[in-house]
Amino acid sequence: MKLLRFNGGRVGLVLDGTVRDITAAAGVDPAQWPPVGMVQLIASFGAKREQLLDAARRAPGLDLASVHLETPVPWPNKLIAIPVNYHAHALEMSSPAISKNGGFFVKSASSLSGASDPILLPDLPGRAVHHEAELAIIVGRRGRHVSREDALEYVFGYACLLDMTVRGKQERAIRKSYDTFTPVGPWITTADEVPDPSALRVQLWVNDESRQDAYTRDMIVDVPEIIAMCSSVVTLEPGDVIATGTAEGVGPVSVGDTVTIDISPGVGRMAVRVEQGQGGWNIAIPRDV
Ligand code: MN
C-alpha cells in the first residue's frame, strides 16, 4: 500500500494510480495540532488495514498531479540520520572513520517537507547546499534493543528522502535542520511491498543531469543493522523516520533547480523544486568546541 498526506493534512491511499481520500476512515483530523494523526495511524495500522482499503476502493480517484503532496509523517518523535553509509561516498568526503564507526545523528523534525513543497535555500552567500539521496525507513512499532534478526518487523514502510545539507564546519545538526531540508515522499510504501530493502536502486538527478545512482546492497550498515544500532540507544517509536545515508555523487543545488529522486522497485519518485528562502546562520564555529 502507498499511504500519503495531501491537501492540508488529509490522508490518502494510492489505488490504480489515483489518490483515494481515506481521512475519515483513518480517523485523522486534518486540523489537529500537533499533527500526530499519521503517527497514531501507523501505530494502529495493522488492525485498520482492511477497513482502509475498503474506504479507498469506495472513494473517487483524484489525479496525483492535482493534489499537494505533504510530508507523510509531519510530527515524528524522532528524525534520525545515518552519516556516510556507502564506501564510495566515504572516499569522496574523505571520512573513512565515520563509515567505519557507524553511529547516527539527529536532524530537527521540523526540517521535514513533502514532495510538492519547495526546498528553500537559506541566504548564505558562499555556502554550498548539497543534495543527498537516501532511502527513508518509517518505523512501525515501538522497539528498544531490537536484534538484527527481528529488525525488519519494526519497519512500517519506506520512502524517498532528501537529506539537504549546507557544507561547512558547523555542527551537522544546524547545517541539516533548515526548514524544508528533509523532503520525504511522495508517499510511504508499506514494507510488504518492499520485501528486500537491500535490493533497491537509489537515483538522483538535478534537472536532467544524473548525479547519484547507487544500490542499497552497497550500504556499509544495512537496514536491519541500522534498526539494531539505533534501538540500542533510543526507543524507536511508530512514525520515527530514519534517513539511511547517502551514496557518492553529492553536489550543489541552486535556485531554480529541480531535484528528482527515484527509488525502485516500488518505493517511488518525487521531483522537488529549489527556491530562495530567507536568513540562515553563517558564523563558522569549529566542530570540536
Ligand atoms: Mn545524509
Side-chain angles (χ1 to χ4, degrees):
M1 293 165 77
K2 291 177 167 42
L3 181 66
L4 55 77
R5 272 177 77 254
F6 71 104
N7 292 2
R10 306 198 70 78
V11 179
L13 279 180
V14 180
L15 216 58
D16 305 325
T18 61
V19 177
R20 310 298 178 97
D21 190 330
I22 59 162
T23 309
V28 171
D29 172 9
Q32 180 189 31
W33 191 91
V36 293
M38 194 63 110
V39 170
Q40 292 165 328
L41 179 61
I42 288 170
S44 62
F45 195 81
K48 290 182 174 166
R49 192 184 177 94
E50 289 311 312
Q51 179 191 342
L52 297 176
L53 260 178
D54 273 354
R57 290 190 192 102
R58 288 194 306 272
L62 307 171
D63 188 351
L64 259 170
S66 74
V67 304
H68 187 97
L69 293 171
E70 293 158 353
T71 204
V73 186
W75 201 277
N77 181 258
K78 290 178 287 304
L79 171 54
I80 294 174
I82 309 300
V84 190
N85 200 17
Y86 293 76
H87 288 290
H89 179 51
L91 287 175
E92 78 177 351
M93 300 303 287
S94 304
S95 49
I98 293 177
S99 62
K100 204 182 298 175
N101 296 339
F104 65 81
F105 60 96
V106 290
K107 300 182 70 164
S108 171
S110 54
S111 67
L112 289 163
S113 57
S116 299
D117 300 320
I119 294 164
L120 298 175
L121 298 187
D123 184 15
L124 300 175
R127 303 288 299 277
V129 176
H130 279 199
H131 55 78
E132 297 188 354
E134 309 195 10
L135 173 70
I137 302 166
I138 315 298
V139 174
R141 289 169 55 188
R142 175 174 289 176
R144 183 81 205 277
H145 304 303
V146 177
S147 70
R148 180 184 166 81
E149 291 68 33
D150 295 339
L152 292 184
E153 295 170 22
Y154 289 78
V155 177
F156 176 74
Y158 300 93
C160 300
L161 181 148
L162 297 170
D163 176 17
M164 302 305 296
T165 305
V166 179
R167 293 292 175 213
K169 293 184 184 300
Q170 293 159 318
E171 290 289 351
R172 191 155 40 196
I174 195 173
R175 292 185 290 108
K176 288 173 173 280
S177 283
Y178 283 95
D179 287 2
T180 73
F181 265 31
T182 315
V184 174
W187 43 65
I188 301 169
T189 299
T190 51
D192 57 299
E193 295 186 7
V194 186
D196 184 359
S198 67
L200 298 171
R201 184 181 188 182
V202 181
Q203 294 171 276
L204 181 140
W205 299 262
V206 175
N207 305 319
D208 292 329
E209 181 190 350
S210 171
R211 292 273 188 93
Q212 297 187 265
D213 187 357
Y215 291 86
T216 53
R217 64 172 179 261
D218 293 323
M219 283 182 174
I220 297 166
V221 183
D222 67 6
V223 168
E225 201 65 35
I226 287 170
I227 301 276
M229 172 181 71
C230 292
S231 71
S232 72
V233 179
V234 297
T235 299
L236 294 177
E237 298 286 354
D240 281 357
V241 179
I242 304 176
T244 56
T246 199
E248 68 277 17
V250 300
V253 300
S254 306
V255 170
D257 284 345
T258 296
V259 182
T260 302
I261 178 173
D262 184 290
I263 304 182
S264 62
V267 175
R269 170 189 283 243
M270 62 180 183
V272 182
R273 287 271 298 171
V274 179
E275 298 180 3
Q276 185 63 58
Q278 295 181 318
W281 185 257
N282 204 16
I283 297 172
I285 300 166
R287 195 135 162 217
D288 56 355
V289 297

